[in-house]
Amino acid sequence: MSIGDLIRLLGDGHYHSGQQLGEHFGVSRTAIWKQLQKLEAMDLPLEAVKGRGYRLVNTLDSLNGAEIVANLAAEPRQHLKRLFVEDVVDSTNTFLRERFRQGAGHGEVCLAESQTAGRGRRGKSWSTRWGQSLIFSLGWRFEGGVASLEGLSLAVGVKLAELVEALGAEVALKWPNDLLLLVDDEQRKLAGILLEVTGDVEGPCEVVIGIGLNVGLSDAGRHAAGQPAGALSDVLTPPSRNRLVADLITALVDLLPEFERQGFGAWQAAWNRRHAYAGQDVRIHDNSGDYEAKALEVDEKGNLVVLVKDERRALTGGEVSVRPERSSV
């Protein structure tokens, strides 16, 4: 019996007695009780009713590989070489990087209910609660070299924004890799994107595209985020996570071959239309220190163009941290 199997059963909305659980998993009631003690620590509150049994306070929409594949149309299904659905991994990106080292990886997707070493840009952690997020990575091989991938994370951001907007949410893009949920006058981080590239500057290279998207978010999760954090459930009734995964796979396998042919320029205007800080004063931190600037637009390479006094500068990804003046986002 894994903790994941127990969570999936208790998250179905029905009560299950200790005896029923023990019989189902072929273990003692004591073994069940020890596993139940772990759930509160995982931010999964448990409800116990005498004479009825146990269930999770909140029902869970568990990831299911067969359901995801069933939601894919024929063409994206052809691009999907393998789908891994894991209970817990250290990082879905790390999982697929290892697959590439083994000679596989291209067209493969790894999903996890939880990860122990999830990370975002510049080494920041990505905190997630079991069953409440999409923790997603896709591996892809490009022939044009690392230089041809300029702006790819921004193009992925555009496709992710389009997917969320189709659900009825209003979003903005924060350079270079965040999706912000707009709720009243507040911007809340909804999703982050992390690309990891290995290979030649001019030859074949391998990319792992990691996406973390908050579908639901507990109070503890908001507190752990350390910044205004949002979830789809803040503004709408989220669809099945399995449906979301299928739509995300479809969006990305549509994007990636086109990006290899056209580069970021084809998505530049769409990104700039959603630019969270266009025309705003921002504070930038890079290797030269902290300074103020006015955010303008992103260029055809995905660089953020800013105005520092009267000088235009193009900022490259991985070097700067942009914060709007008088905001904690």
Side-chain angles (χ1 to χ4, degrees):
M1 177 189 66
S2 72
I3 189 69
D5 291 335
L6 180 60
I7 290 171
R8 277 184 283 273
L9 184 57
L10 292 175
D12 65 2
H14 302 294
Y15 289 97
H16 303 270
S17 71
Q19 181 177 344
Q20 289 171 337
L21 292 171
E23 292 174 353
H24 179 84
F25 291 112
V27 299
S28 68
R29 294 181 64 176
T30 300
I32 292 293
W33 176 249
K34 289 180 179 179
Q35 293 283 40
L36 293 176
Q37 302 309 296
K38 300 177 182 179
L39 300 185
E40 291 285 350
M42 297 172 64
D43 195 18
L44 291 170
L46 187 68
E47 184 177 50
V49 177
K50 188 174 182 179
R52 302 187 69 183
Y54 308 92
R55 70 174 182 179
L56 293 178
V57 172
N58 302 304
T59 58
L60 290 182
D61 171 29
S62 296
L63 294 171
N64 182 291
E67 187 175 338
I68 291 167
V69 172
N71 278 312
L72 289 172
E75 185 172 351
R77 192 181 302 174
Q78 290 176 355
H79 286 285
L80 180 63
K81 305 304 181 185
R82 193 163 181 182
L83 174 65
F84 297 90
V85 181
E86 305 292 327
D87 282 352
V88 182
V89 295
D90 54 356
S91 160
T92 54
N93 268 27
T94 300
F95 185 100
L96 284 186
R97 286 166 58 198
E98 179 60 30
R99 290 289 297 168
F100 273 122
R101 283 192 285 269
Q102 296 170 2
H106 174 71
E108 296 187 351
V109 168
C110 179
L111 304 166
E113 293 287 8
S114 181
Q115 55 185 6
T116 59
R119 61 198 184 278
R121 183 171 165 265
R122 303 176 72 222
K124 294 182 179 179
S125 63
W126 180 268
S127 177
T128 55
R129 172 177 177 251
W130 184 291
Q132 291 293 293
S133 300
L134 286 189
I135 307 171
F136 172 105
S137 293
L138 167 68
W140 203 262
R141 185 173 290 109
F142 289 86
E143 300 301 324
V146 174
S148 68
L149 303 181
E150 290 179 320
L152 177 56
S153 66
L154 278 72
V156 171
V158 170
K159 298 299 286 188
L160 184 58
E162 291 174 346
L163 187 157
V164 173
E165 288 166 347
L167 299 175
E170 187 178 0
V171 297
L173 291 165
K174 177 187 173 185
W175 188 88
N177 64 343
D178 287 350
L179 184 67
L180 305 180
L181 181 68
L182 306 182
V183 183
D184 298 325
D185 294 326
E186 186 178 35
Q187 296 177 335
R188 305 175 185 175
K189 183 170 179 178
L190 177 66
I193 299 164
L194 176 65
L195 267 60
E196 296 183 281
V197 183
T198 57
D200 297 331
V201 174
E202 297 182 356
C205 60
E206 297 160 345
V207 181
V208 177
I209 301 170
I211 295 174
L213 171 68
N214 294 327
V215 179
L217 200 58
S218 67
D219 290 341
R222 294 179 198 275
H223 179 75
Q227 61 178 308
L232 292 179
S233 60
D234 292 348
V235 294
L236 52 85
T237 300
S240 158
R241 288 191 301 151
N242 295 303
R243 175 77 255 180
L244 279 175
V245 170
D247 289 345
L248 184 54
I249 292 172
T250 299
L252 292 180
V253 300
D254 175 65
L255 163 72
L256 296 173
E258 285 299 312
F259 187 93
E260 189 162 23
R261 287 191 289 268
Q262 301 185 58
F264 175 65
W267 288 271
Q268 179 186 2
W271 198 98
N272 281 322
R273 285 197 301 272
R274 298 173 174 86
H275 187 357
Y277 304 139
Q280 295 185 28
D281 293 330
V282 296
R283 178 166 292 277
I284 296 170
H285 172 75
D286 62 17
N287 293 333
S288 64
D290 290 304
Y291 56 93
E292 296 178 8
K294 182 182 290 292
L296 300 180
E297 71 278 336
V298 297
D299 64 18
E300 69 281 356
K301 295 181 178 180
N303 301 321
L304 178 64
V305 180
V306 300
L307 193 64
V308 183
K309 297 181 179 178
D310 294 326
E311 176 191 359
R312 288 172 65 94
R313 298 183 188 176
L315 308 179
T316 60
E319 297 178 354
V320 302
S321 176
V322 179
R323 293 290 182 268
E325 291 292 280
R326 299 178 301 279
S327 175
S328 60
V329 173

